[in-house]
Amino acid sequence: MKNFIKNELKNWKAVEVLWIVTASTIILSLSLYWKENIIGIVSSISGILCVILTGKGKLSSYIFGMINTILYSYIAFNAKYYGEFMLNVFYYIPMNIAGFILWSRNLNSESKEVIKTKLNNKYKIIIFAFSFISIFIYGLILKKLGGSLPFADSASTVFAVTAQILCIKRCSEQWIMWILVNILNISIWYINFSSGGDNIATLLMWSVYLVNALFMLIKWYKEANGSKTDKVNI
């Protein structure tokens, strides 16, 4: 455990530390101002820590990801976003475990960060085409279940499933998917909040996720291009 903590604290730049402190402080302060409940606050802060640590390539991202997954699924279920609920309970929980194991086997010995890779062009086309077909089919299912915003919920879910696979495969393209997921979720949680919902911390969480994903897309592509790792297939 001592070595694990030491490795997680290794190789941080001042700007990265500033970002994680600033993002967490903003979420906490505004959530308290709007009197968000404790579940929403803990879910949001653990989620922020998860995505920033993921961008940093640290194993602890999966620990905070598990906390966020459990709490966020509860919030999504209460808001009748059933696609989000099923995604977290039946997918993210096992994928957090799988990701922790796979990343632990592919760490840079010096930085203790995960080694970044890229997809080849063939698989980029296949993945995006399959995603849009899946969105349409799953959206019809959610509509039959009576879910809120079924096709937006479906798109968020499908893109998130794909992004998580790319994440555990250490692919830089995951951040393109996460950007799409974040935009969709900002939209559906804004509608929820505007309709009288009290999930302001969740809305703020997704907004910070979007900013983080934009930065991490650039960071991961730079590091993947600078490494000796070949392009990979799924």
Side-chain angles (χ1 to χ4, degrees), residues 81-183:
Y81 292 143
Y82 299 131
E84 287 289 289
F85 170 75
M86 289 186 282
L87 170 69
N88 280 267
V89 172
F90 301 117
Y91 183 70
Y92 277 153
I93 288 178
M95 288 296 275
N96 273 320
I97 298 172
F100 185 91
I101 295 171
L102 291 175
W103 272 33
S104 66
R105 298 173 181 172
N106 292 278
L107 295 176
N108 183 297
S109 59
E110 295 182 2
S111 66
K112 299 303 178 182
E113 296 178 13
V114 73
I115 299 170
K116 286 79 171 177
T117 62
K118 295 186 298 180
L119 287 173
N120 63 41
N121 291 329
K122 172 186 173 182
Y123 277 87
K124 288 179 185 177
I125 295 172
I126 292 174
I127 287 171
F128 275 94
F130 182 76
S131 295
F132 282 105
I133 294 172
S134 299
I135 287 168
F136 177 73
I137 296 173
Y138 192 39
L140 293 177
I141 294 173
L142 294 178
K143 186 175 182 180
K144 292 240 178 228
L145 291 174
S148 304
L149 304 173
F151 287 98
D153 194 6
S154 172
S156 172
T157 301
V158 170
F159 285 140
V161 167
T162 307
Q164 189 64 26
I165 293 173
L166 295 176
C167 179
I168 67 173
K169 295 289 288 185
R170 301 171 287 112
C171 299
S172 302
E173 289 78 10
Q174 64 165 302
W175 296 106
I176 297 174
M177 289 291 183
W178 288 129
I179 289 170
L180 295 174
V181 171
N182 297 335
I183 292 173

Side-chain angles (χ1 to χ4, degrees), residues 24 26 35 37 43 54 77 89 108 124 131 133 159 166 189 201 212:
S24 299
I26 289 173
K35 298 180 180 179
N37 61 68
S43 170
T54 297
F77 183 81
V89 172
N108 183 297
K124 288 179 185 177
S131 295
I133 294 172
F159 285 140
L166 295 176
W189 287 109
N212 185 71

Side-chain angles (χ1 to χ4, degrees), residues 188-206:
I188 65 176
W189 287 109
Y190 176 76
I191 292 172
N192 175 272
F193 181 67
S194 299
S195 302
D198 60 352
N199 298 305
I200 185 62
T202 303
L203 174 59
L204 293 171
M205 176 186 75
W206 285 108

